[in-house]
């Protein structure tokens, strides 16, 4: 029959009622037993008092009345004595108490009626003394009956009423003052006896109840102790009884012997500190907590007889044991559970703290769990996606066949791995690498699926940067390969142009044309340098300088290149922003941005270009978007225009070399690529914001230094410094460069010797080193290169002064032949003014 929880209170109540009925029956049985036990003494008292009363009334009452009354009373008394004897033999069983109670009540009623008849048959009408003696005897019998009949209310009330009230009424019937007084006194005596009997009855009943309850509790306690002992000994759980004051083990069951490996006697002679890995002081504190604070649950480490340590879970509580309060402990071995929980905790923490998005669905694809990384990557909180389908991440970039393949794979029990495009909560798309695996139950049935997704945005950005780096490397290789010959040709051109200008000084128009060609030559050289810089093959001259002052000067210089119909606005911060950089490269980057802005507004009705510089404090979003940037303080240079703008598709390619959106012949595609390379080489970044038809804004962020101000070095003097007749050895394998260099140097006051390679240079130096003041040495030459040649010259004259020249990329092509840092290296083509100054500095050093 199933248990009916709703009826539990009624069942408890029924059990309580049954217990109460049983107790009432037991009390009534005790009451009946007390009544029968007192019957012998009351019968003796009745016989004696009845006999004395008969003798005292023998002379005033008819003898036949006396004899008849006495005979009836003694007969009733004898019957009650026999009744009591049979009751004792029957042992007053509880189930027979009601029968004995009724029979006792009948005998008591008959005895009371006998004494009540005495007031009628034995009342002496003529003798007041005998009347008073009768009242004394009947009253004495009633007073004596209180102790023997009070265990129950009804017998004492019947006895008192039937014995005493008829006599009181008989006195009243005499109608004399004395009789009235006697009748009233007897009635008052009856009231007092009734009250006393009721009080005695209450006390007797209470005493019986307390004794029975005490006995019942004692019996139940003995049963409980018996059951506890049986449970304690036979329980499969480890159980210990411990003295909370000393820690001594008072009792231990069989399971404790098997678990700890000690015998019963050994355990009983031990303290809990011999088992617990805690110190005695720590154990005392724990037991005090269990005793005073009611703590009942503990996790300990217990040491076995073998020395092995087990993790145990202890449930402990106070218990009365042989009259003393002890601690009763149930102990469970949880070593395996602790290991499993530790593994589960590690697994849970690994999933919660994983950088990849982890999602668990049921077999139908309904989401049941997502880790925090899922919310970080997708923008959806766990509460939002619970009970939903992963379809909320679909971007629409994958076909239905793509997802059909996914489901076919995972439903067949295999792992599915692919790359896809997903959609965040804000609608933005991101590339992801996805792996979905089925989860099987014990029956090898698929119950769930677990998906691990990695946001590939950073990886894709790294790939883009890698491809960009490959492009740069290709360009650098190309430029590095042609730089030498190109620079040699430009070097020859600039030298001859200088000589031609000197000879055509009387023809200013020709000089102007030659200057234009010379300017174009140096611009061609600058283009090579830009390409090398973009490919990170150029040499940056990094030094701290004040960017604010520098940009102000640059803006003034470049303002003249912006047509008057374009509104050019500038805004610079008041504080000097100090950066570490190459001023020439930053100048070139700014020129390229301003030129692009000027071209972008060419077809705008009200063209506007603005240039601003301010300090920028990086926030969390900026740091997240640019994790490679260190520090938080940056100089922000902004070039904006209201021109044609740049589309999203074009923005992805504008920093690529040779990419241009301009018409053929109006752009090389190197301007923004050079800007990108130059700023990255400075540890900065370039950002663009643009809307087609509304304009563009380019933002350059450069890390700030702590210095608050720095002075920009003044431009080097453009004047040519003449020689004083010193001899210069010019070494170059290019005859044109040798010739033009010789003529230039001779034109400014030097004597020149020539050598076509290193071997020839060493031979000339060995014979003429005393007159040679300086050697202008090419680095790369056939037969013997410049570095090796100088080493041999130093063997001849350790104090030889050398200036190296090269048309190669110094950082790449000359890695194996670079001179030491003690020597100065000039790149071809070199300005005549710079060459004259460097030679003079070397000679004067």
């Amino acid at each position: 029959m199933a248990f009916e929880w709703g009826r539990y209170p009624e069942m408890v109540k029924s059990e309580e009622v049954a217990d109460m009925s049983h107790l009432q029956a037991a009390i009534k049985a005790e009451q009946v037993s007390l009544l029968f036990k007192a019957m012998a003494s009351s019968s003796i008292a009745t016989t004696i008092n009845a006999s004395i009363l008969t003798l005292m009334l023998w002379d005033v009452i008819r003898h036949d009345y006396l004899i008849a009354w006495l005979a009836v009373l003694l007969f009733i008394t004898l019957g009650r004595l026999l009744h009591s004897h049979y009751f004792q033999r029957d042992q007053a069983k509880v189930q027979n108490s009601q029968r004995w109670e009724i029979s006792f009540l009948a005998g008591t009623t008959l005895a009371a009626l006998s004494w009540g008849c005495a007031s009628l048959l034995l009342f002496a009408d003529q003798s007041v003394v005998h009347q008073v003696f009768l009242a004394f005897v009947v009253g004495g019998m009633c007073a004596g009956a209180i102790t023997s009949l009070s265990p129950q209310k009804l017998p004492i009330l019947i006895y008192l009423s039937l014995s005493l009230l008829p006599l009181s009424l008989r006195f009243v019937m005499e109608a004399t003052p004395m009789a009235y007084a006697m009748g009233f006194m007897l009635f008052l005596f009856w009231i007092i006896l009734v009250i006393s009997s009721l009080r005695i009855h209450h006390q007797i009943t209470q005493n019986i109840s307390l004794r029975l309850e005490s006995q019942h509790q004692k019996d139940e306690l003995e049963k409980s102790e018996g059951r506890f002992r049986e449970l304690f000994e036979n329980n499969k759980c480890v159980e210990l009884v411990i003295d909370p004051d000393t820690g001594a083990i008072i009792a231990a069951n069989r399971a404790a012997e098997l678990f700890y490996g000690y015998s019963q006697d050994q355990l009983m002679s031990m303290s809990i500190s011999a088992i617990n890995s805690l110190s005695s002081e720590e154990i005392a504190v724990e037991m005090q907590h269990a005793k005073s604070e009611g703590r009942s649950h503990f996790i300990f480490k217990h040491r076995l007889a073998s020395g092995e340590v087990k993790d145990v879970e202890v449930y402990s509580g106070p218990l009365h044991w042989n009259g003393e309060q002890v601690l009763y402990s149930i102990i469970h071995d949880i070593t395996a559970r602790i290991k499993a929980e530790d593994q589960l905790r590690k697994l849970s923490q690994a999933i919660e703290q994983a950088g990849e998005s982890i999602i668990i669905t049921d077999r139908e694809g309904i989401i049941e769990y997502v880790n925090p990384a899922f919310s970080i990557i997708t923008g959806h909180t766990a509460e939002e996606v619970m009970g939903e389908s992963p379809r909320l991440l679909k971007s629409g970039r994958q076909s239905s066949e793509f997802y059909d393949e996914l489901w076919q794979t995972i439903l067949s029990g295999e792992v599915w791995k692919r790359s896809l495009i997903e959609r965040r909560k804000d609608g933005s798309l991101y590339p992801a690498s996805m792996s979905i695996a089925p989860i099987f139950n014990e029956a090898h049935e698929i119950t769930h699926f677990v998906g691990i997704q990695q946001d590939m945005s950073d990886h894709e950005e790294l790939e883009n940067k890698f491809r960009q780096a490959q492009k740069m490397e290709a360009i650098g290789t190309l430029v590095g390969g042609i730089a030498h010959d190109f620079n040699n040709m430009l070097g020859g051109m600039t030298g001859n142009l200088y000589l031609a200008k000197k000879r055509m000084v009387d023809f200013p128009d020709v000089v102007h044309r030659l200057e234009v060609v010379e300017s174009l030559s140096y611009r061609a050289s600058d283009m090579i340098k830009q390409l090398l810089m973009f490919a990170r093959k150029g040499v940056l001259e990094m030094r701290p300088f004040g960017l604010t002052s520098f940009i102000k000067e640059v803006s003034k210089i470049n303002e003249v290149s912006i047509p008057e119909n374009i509104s050019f606005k500038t805004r610079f911060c008041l504080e000097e922003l100090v950066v570490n950089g190459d001023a020439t490269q930053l100048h070139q980057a700014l020129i390229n941005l301003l030129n692009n802005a000027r071209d972008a507004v060419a077809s705008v009705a009200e063209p506007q270009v603005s240039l601003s510089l301010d300090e920028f404090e990086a926030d969390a979003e900026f740091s997240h978007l640019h994790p490679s940037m260190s520090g938080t303080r940056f100089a922000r240079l902004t070039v904006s225009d209201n021109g044609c703008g740049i589309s999203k598709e074009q923005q992805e390619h504008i920093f690529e070399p040779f990419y241009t959106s301009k018409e053929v012949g109006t752009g090389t595609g190197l301007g923004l690529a050079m800007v990108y390379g130059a700023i990255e080489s400075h540890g900065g970044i370039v950002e663009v914001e643009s809307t087609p038809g509304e304009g563009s804004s380019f933002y350059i962020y450069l890390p700030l230094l702590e210095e608050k101000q720095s002075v920009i070095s003044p431009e080097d003097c453009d004047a040519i410094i003449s020689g004083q007749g010193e001899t210069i050895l010019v070494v170059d394998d290019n005859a044109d460069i040798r010739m033009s260099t010789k003529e230039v140097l001779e034109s400014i006051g030097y004597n020149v010797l020539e050598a076509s390679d290193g071997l020839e240079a060493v031979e000339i130096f060995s014979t003429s080193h005393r007159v040679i003041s300086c050697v202008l040495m090419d680095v790369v030459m056939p037969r013997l290169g410049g570095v090796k040649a100088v080493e041999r010259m130093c063997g001849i004259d350790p104090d030889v002064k050398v200036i190296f020249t090269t048309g190669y990329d110094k950082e790449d092509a000359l890695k194996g032949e670079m001179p030491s840092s003690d020597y100065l290296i000039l790149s071809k083509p070199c300005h005549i003014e710079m060459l004259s100054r460097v030679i003079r500095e070397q000679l004067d050093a």
Side-chain angles (χ1 to χ4, degrees), residues 756-780:
S756 61
D757 56 41
L759 285 177
E760 185 180 356
V762 172
E763 291 175 1
I764 296 173
F765 186 79
S766 63
T767 58
S768 306
H769 66 89
R770 290 183 179 83
V771 298
I772 296 174
S773 301
C774 182
V775 179
L776 198 60
M777 178 73 72
D778 191 13
V779 177
V780 181

PDB file of all heavy atoms in Angstrom, residues 756-780:
ATOM      1  N   SER A 756      90.047  51.614 -59.065  1.00  0.00           N
ATOM      2  CA  SER A 756      88.830  50.969 -59.569  1.00  0.00           C
ATOM      3  C   SER A 756      88.363  49.808 -58.700  1.00  0.00           C
ATOM      4  O   SER A 756      87.266  49.290 -58.894  1.00  0.00           O
ATOM      5  CB  SER A 756      89.059  50.475 -60.991  1.00  0.00           C
ATOM      6  OG  SER A 756      90.123  49.516 -61.012  1.00  0.00           O
ATOM      7  N   ASP A 757      89.182  49.338 -57.772  1.00  0.00           N
ATOM      8  CA  ASP A 757      88.757  48.267 -56.850  1.00  0.00           C
ATOM      9  C   ASP A 757      89.646  48.288 -55.625  1.00  0.00           C
ATOM     10  O   ASP A 757      90.573  49.110 -55.513  1.00  0.00           O
ATOM     11  CB  ASP A 757      88.782  46.905 -57.536  1.00  0.00           C
ATOM     12  CG  ASP A 757      90.140  46.557 -58.119  1.00  0.00           C
ATOM     13  OD1 ASP A 757      91.161  46.842 -57.453  1.00  0.00           O
ATOM     14  OD2 ASP A 757      90.178  46.025 -59.236  1.00  0.00           O
ATOM     15  N   GLY A 758      89.428  47.354 -54.718  1.00  0.00           N
ATOM     16  CA  GLY A 758      90.152  47.347 -53.461  1.00  0.00           C
ATOM     17  C   GLY A 758      91.626  47.043 -53.619  1.00  0.00           C
ATOM     18  O   GLY A 758      92.470  47.638 -52.929  1.00  0.00           O
ATOM     19  N   LEU A 759      91.976  46.117 -54.509  1.00  0.00           N
ATOM     20  CA  LEU A 759      93.380  45.765 -54.683  1.00  0.00           C
ATOM     21  C   LEU A 759      94.187  46.944 -55.184  1.00  0.00           C
ATOM     22  O   LEU A 759      95.284  47.247 -54.685  1.00  0.00           O
ATOM     23  CB  LEU A 759      93.490  44.584 -55.655  1.00  0.00           C
ATOM     24  CG  LEU A 759      93.108  43.197 -55.109  1.00  0.00           C
ATOM     25  CD1 LEU A 759      93.196  42.148 -56.206  1.00  0.00           C
ATOM     26  CD2 LEU A 759      94.001  42.821 -53.930  1.00  0.00           C
ATOM     27  N   GLU A 760      93.623  47.623 -56.193  1.00  0.00           N
ATOM     28  CA  GLU A 760      94.317  48.795 -56.721  1.00  0.00           C
ATOM     29  C   GLU A 760      94.444  49.877 -55.672  1.00  0.00           C
ATOM     30  O   GLU A 760      95.482  50.568 -55.567  1.00  0.00           O
ATOM     31  CB  GLU A 760      93.576  49.318 -57.955  1.00  0.00           C
ATOM     32  CG  GLU A 760      94.315  50.480 -58.649  1.00  0.00           C
ATOM     33  CD  GLU A 760      93.582  50.995 -59.867  1.00  0.00           C
ATOM     34  OE1 GLU A 760      92.531  50.396 -60.229  1.00  0.00           O
ATOM     35  OE2 GLU A 760      94.035  52.000 -60.458  1.00  0.00           O
ATOM     36  N   ALA A 761      93.401  50.031 -54.848  1.00  0.00           N
ATOM     37  CA  ALA A 761      93.426  51.049 -53.786  1.00  0.00           C
ATOM     38  C   ALA A 761      94.523  50.749 -52.781  1.00  0.00           C
ATOM     39  O   ALA A 761      95.235  51.660 -52.318  1.00  0.00           O
ATOM     40  CB  ALA A 761      92.064  51.109 -53.104  1.00  0.00           C
ATOM     41  N   VAL A 762      94.698  49.462 -52.408  1.00  0.00           N
ATOM     42  CA  VAL A 762      95.739  49.093 -51.443  1.00  0.00           C
ATOM     43  C   VAL A 762      97.120  49.377 -52.017  1.00  0.00           C
ATOM     44  O   VAL A 762      98.035  49.861 -51.320  1.00  0.00           O
ATOM     45  CB  VAL A 762      95.574  47.612 -51.037  1.00  0.00           C
ATOM     46  CG1 VAL A 762      96.765  47.170 -50.178  1.00  0.00           C
ATOM     47  CG2 VAL A 762      94.262  47.389 -50.288  1.00  0.00           C
ATOM     48  N   GLU A 763      97.297  49.071 -53.289  1.00  0.00           N
ATOM     49  CA  GLU A 763      98.600  49.329 -53.924  1.00  0.00           C
ATOM     50  C   GLU A 763      98.914  50.817 -53.906  1.00  0.00           C
ATOM     51  O   GLU A 763     100.048  51.228 -53.589  1.00  0.00           O
ATOM     52  CB  GLU A 763      98.575  48.805 -55.361  1.00  0.00           C
ATOM     53  CG  GLU A 763      98.513  47.290 -55.467  1.00  0.00           C
ATOM     54  CD  GLU A 763      98.357  46.818 -56.894  1.00  0.00           C
ATOM     55  OE1 GLU A 763      98.310  47.689 -57.797  1.00  0.00           O
ATOM     56  OE2 GLU A 763      98.254  45.590 -57.119  1.00  0.00           O
ATOM     57  N   ILE A 764      97.936  51.656 -54.309  1.00  0.00           N
ATOM     58  CA  ILE A 764      98.171  53.101 -54.318  1.00  0.00           C
ATOM     59  C   ILE A 764      98.442  53.602 -52.910  1.00  0.00           C
ATOM     60  O   ILE A 764      99.349  54.422 -52.682  1.00  0.00           O
ATOM     61  CB  ILE A 764      96.972  53.834 -54.947  1.00  0.00           C
ATOM     62  CG1 ILE A 764      96.821  53.451 -56.419  1.00  0.00           C
ATOM     63  CG2 ILE A 764      97.107  55.342 -54.789  1.00  0.00           C
ATOM     64  CD1 ILE A 764      95.567  53.994 -57.080  1.00  0.00           C
ATOM     65  N   PHE A 765      97.682  53.089 -51.910  1.00  0.00           N
ATOM     66  CA  PHE A 765      97.826  53.555 -50.526  1.00  0.00           C
ATOM     67  C   PHE A 765      99.184  53.155 -49.960  1.00  0.00           C
ATOM     68  O   PHE A 765      99.786  53.912 -49.188  1.00  0.00           O
ATOM     69  CB  PHE A 765      96.693  52.991 -49.669  1.00  0.00           C
ATOM     70  CG  PHE A 765      96.677  53.540 -48.278  1.00  0.00           C
ATOM     71  CD1 PHE A 765      96.158  54.808 -48.002  1.00  0.00           C
ATOM     72  CD2 PHE A 765      97.195  52.803 -47.208  1.00  0.00           C
ATOM     73  CE1 PHE A 765      96.156  55.315 -46.711  1.00  0.00           C
ATOM     74  CE2 PHE A 765      97.208  53.313 -45.928  1.00  0.00           C
ATOM     75  CZ  PHE A 765      96.673  54.568 -45.668  1.00  0.00           C
ATOM     76  N   SER A 766      99.669  51.953 -50.353  1.00  0.00           N
ATOM     77  CA  SER A 766     100.960  51.499 -49.802  1.00  0.00           C
ATOM     78  C   SER A 766     102.112  52.395 -50.244  1.00  0.00           C
ATOM     79  O   SER A 766     103.100  52.540 -49.534  1.00  0.00           O
ATOM     80  CB  SER A 766     101.222  50.057 -50.235  1.00  0.00           C
ATOM     81  OG  SER A 766     101.337  49.968 -51.647  1.00  0.00           O
ATOM     82  N   THR A 767     101.992  52.999 -51.406  1.00  0.00           N
ATOM     83  CA  THR A 767     103.069  53.865 -51.900  1.00  0.00           C
ATOM     84  C   THR A 767     102.842  55.327 -51.587  1.00  0.00           C
ATOM     85  O   THR A 767     103.789  56.117 -51.548  1.00  0.00           O
ATOM     86  CB  THR A 767     103.206  53.709 -53.430  1.00  0.00           C
ATOM     87  OG1 THR A 767     101.951  54.035 -54.059  1.00  0.00           O
ATOM     88  CG2 THR A 767     103.589  52.264 -53.776  1.00  0.00           C
ATOM     89  N   SER A 768     101.583  55.728 -51.349  1.00  0.00           N
ATOM     90  CA  SER A 768     101.293  57.161 -51.184  1.00  0.00           C
ATOM     91  C   SER A 768     100.525  57.470 -49.904  1.00  0.00           C
ATOM     92  O   SER A 768      99.862  58.499 -49.802  1.00  0.00           O
ATOM     93  CB  SER A 768     100.463  57.647 -52.383  1.00  0.00           C
ATOM     94  OG  SER A 768     101.081  57.338 -53.610  1.00  0.00           O
ATOM     95  N   HIS A 769     100.568  56.575 -48.898  1.00  0.00           N
ATOM     96  CA  HIS A 769      99.731  56.792 -47.701  1.00  0.00           C
ATOM     97  C   HIS A 769     100.157  58.023 -46.920  1.00  0.00           C
ATOM     98  O   HIS A 769      99.370  58.581 -46.156  1.00  0.00           O
ATOM     99  CB  HIS A 769      99.774  55.540 -46.809  1.00  0.00           C
ATOM    100  CG  HIS A 769     101.127  55.255 -46.215  1.00  0.00           C
ATOM    101  ND1 HIS A 769     101.550  55.769 -45.024  1.00  0.00           N
ATOM    102  CD2 HIS A 769     102.162  54.500 -46.688  1.00  0.00           C
ATOM    103  CE1 HIS A 769     102.767  55.339 -44.753  1.00  0.00           C
ATOM    104  NE2 HIS A 769     103.169  54.562 -45.771  1.00  0.00           N
ATOM    105  N   ARG A 770     101.418  58.445 -47.097  1.00  0.00           N
ATOM    106  CA  ARG A 770     101.860  59.620 -46.344  1.00  0.00           C
ATOM    107  C   ARG A 770     101.196  60.891 -46.853  1.00  0.00           C
ATOM    108  O   ARG A 770     101.062  61.864 -46.116  1.00  0.00           O
ATOM    109  CB  ARG A 770     103.370  59.743 -46.415  1.00  0.00           C
ATOM    110  CG  ARG A 770     104.110  58.659 -45.631  1.00  0.00           C
ATOM    111  CD  ARG A 770     105.621  58.874 -45.670  1.00  0.00           C
ATOM    112  NE  ARG A 770     106.323  57.871 -44.907  1.00  0.00           N
ATOM    113  CZ  ARG A 770     106.640  56.664 -45.363  1.00  0.00           C
ATOM    114  NH1 ARG A 770     106.333  56.341 -46.627  1.00  0.00           N
ATOM    115  NH2 ARG A 770     107.281  55.803 -44.575  1.00  0.00           N
ATOM    116  N   VAL A 771     100.785  60.921 -48.149  1.00  0.00           N
ATOM    117  CA  VAL A 771     100.181  62.128 -48.706  1.00  0.00           C
ATOM    118  C   VAL A 771      98.651  62.018 -48.777  1.00  0.00           C
ATOM    119  O   VAL A 771      97.970  63.014 -49.031  1.00  0.00           O
ATOM    120  CB  VAL A 771     100.738  62.420 -50.116  1.00  0.00           C
ATOM    121  CG1 VAL A 771     102.234  62.671 -50.038  1.00  0.00           C
ATOM    122  CG2 VAL A 771     100.426  61.281 -51.075  1.00  0.00           C
ATOM    123  N   ILE A 772      98.113  60.801 -48.592  1.00  0.00           N
ATOM    124  CA  ILE A 772      96.661  60.617 -48.658  1.00  0.00           C
ATOM    125  C   ILE A 772      96.054  60.989 -47.320  1.00  0.00           C
ATOM    126  O   ILE A 772      96.367  60.372 -46.285  1.00  0.00           O
ATOM    127  CB  ILE A 772      96.298  59.166 -49.034  1.00  0.00           C
ATOM    128  CG1 ILE A 772      96.800  58.850 -50.455  1.00  0.00           C
ATOM    129  CG2 ILE A 772      94.791  58.924 -48.932  1.00  0.00           C
ATOM    130  CD1 ILE A 772      96.614  57.400 -50.876  1.00  0.00           C
ATOM    131  N   SER A 773      95.184  62.006 -47.310  1.00  0.00           N
ATOM    132  CA  SER A 773      94.552  62.466 -46.066  1.00  0.00           C
ATOM    133  C   SER A 773      93.276  61.696 -45.739  1.00  0.00           C
ATOM    134  O   SER A 773      92.916  61.534 -44.571  1.00  0.00           O
ATOM    135  CB  SER A 773      94.224  63.964 -46.192  1.00  0.00           C
ATOM    136  OG  SER A 773      95.389  64.707 -46.433  1.00  0.00           O
ATOM    137  N   CYS A 774      92.572  61.216 -46.772  1.00  0.00           N
ATOM    138  CA  CYS A 774      91.296  60.527 -46.520  1.00  0.00           C
ATOM    139  C   CYS A 774      91.008  59.604 -47.695  1.00  0.00           C
ATOM    140  O   CYS A 774      91.400  59.889 -48.841  1.00  0.00           O
ATOM    141  CB  CYS A 774      90.168  61.541 -46.341  1.00  0.00           C
ATOM    142  SG  CYS A 774      88.547  60.802 -45.970  1.00  0.00           S
ATOM    143  N   VAL A 775      90.308  58.489 -47.417  1.00  0.00           N
ATOM    144  CA  VAL A 775      89.935  57.519 -48.450  1.00  0.00           C
ATOM    145  C   VAL A 775      88.412  57.513 -48.557  1.00  0.00           C
ATOM    146  O   VAL A 775      87.701  57.318 -47.553  1.00  0.00           O
ATOM    147  CB  VAL A 775      90.444  56.112 -48.125  1.00  0.00           C
ATOM    148  CG1 VAL A 775      90.002  55.124 -49.211  1.00  0.00           C
ATOM    149  CG2 VAL A 775      91.959  56.110 -47.970  1.00  0.00           C
ATOM    150  N   LEU A 776      87.886  57.750 -49.764  1.00  0.00           N
ATOM    151  CA  LEU A 776      86.442  57.653 -50.031  1.00  0.00           C
ATOM    152  C   LEU A 776      86.234  56.293 -50.691  1.00  0.00           C
ATOM    153  O   LEU A 776      86.495  56.119 -51.879  1.00  0.00           O
ATOM    154  CB  LEU A 776      86.007  58.805 -50.960  1.00  0.00           C
ATOM    155  CG  LEU A 776      84.509  59.120 -51.007  1.00  0.00           C
ATOM    156  CD1 LEU A 776      83.984  59.516 -49.637  1.00  0.00           C
ATOM    157  CD2 LEU A 776      84.233  60.243 -52.003  1.00  0.00           C
ATOM    158  N   MET A 777      85.770  55.304 -49.882  1.00  0.00           N
ATOM    159  CA  MET A 777      85.813  53.902 -50.264  1.00  0.00           C
ATOM    160  C   MET A 777      84.410  53.351 -50.527  1.00  0.00           C
ATOM    161  O   MET A 777      83.531  53.423 -49.660  1.00  0.00           O
ATOM    162  CB  MET A 777      86.484  53.094 -49.143  1.00  0.00           C
ATOM    163  CG  MET A 777      86.543  51.597 -49.388  1.00  0.00           C
ATOM    164  SD  MET A 777      87.754  51.123 -50.634  1.00  0.00           S
ATOM    165  CE  MET A 777      89.269  51.408 -49.711  1.00  0.00           C
ATOM    166  N   ASP A 778      84.218  52.760 -51.751  1.00  0.00           N
ATOM    167  CA  ASP A 778      82.972  52.033 -52.042  1.00  0.00           C
ATOM    168  C   ASP A 778      83.012  50.707 -51.268  1.00  0.00           C
ATOM    169  O   ASP A 778      84.085  50.124 -51.071  1.00  0.00           O
ATOM    170  CB  ASP A 778      82.868  51.777 -53.535  1.00  0.00           C
ATOM    171  CG  ASP A 778      81.488  51.262 -53.930  1.00  0.00           C
ATOM    172  OD1 ASP A 778      80.572  51.352 -53.078  1.00  0.00           O
ATOM    173  OD2 ASP A 778      81.317  50.779 -55.062  1.00  0.00           O
ATOM    174  N   VAL A 779      81.847  50.219 -50.841  1.00  0.00           N
ATOM    175  CA  VAL A 779      81.817  49.005 -50.014  1.00  0.00           C
ATOM    176  C   VAL A 779      81.930  47.760 -50.869  1.00  0.00           C
ATOM    177  O   VAL A 779      82.748  46.869 -50.613  1.00  0.00           O
ATOM    178  CB  VAL A 779      80.536  48.969 -49.162  1.00  0.00           C
ATOM    179  CG1 VAL A 779      80.480  47.671 -48.363  1.00  0.00           C
ATOM    180  CG2 VAL A 779      80.470  50.172 -48.228  1.00  0.00           C
ATOM    181  N   VAL A 780      81.098  47.654 -51.915  1.00  0.00           N
ATOM    182  CA  VAL A 780      81.050  46.432 -52.727  1.00  0.00           C
ATOM    183  C   VAL A 780      81.770  46.679 -54.042  1.00  0.00           C
ATOM    184  O   VAL A 780      81.366  47.560 -54.817  1.00  0.00           O
ATOM    185  CB  VAL A 780      79.590  45.999 -52.970  1.00  0.00           C
ATOM    186  CG1 VAL A 780      79.562  44.706 -53.797  1.00  0.00           C
ATOM    187  CG2 VAL A 780      78.870  45.803 -51.646  1.00  0.00           C
TER     188      VAL A 780
END
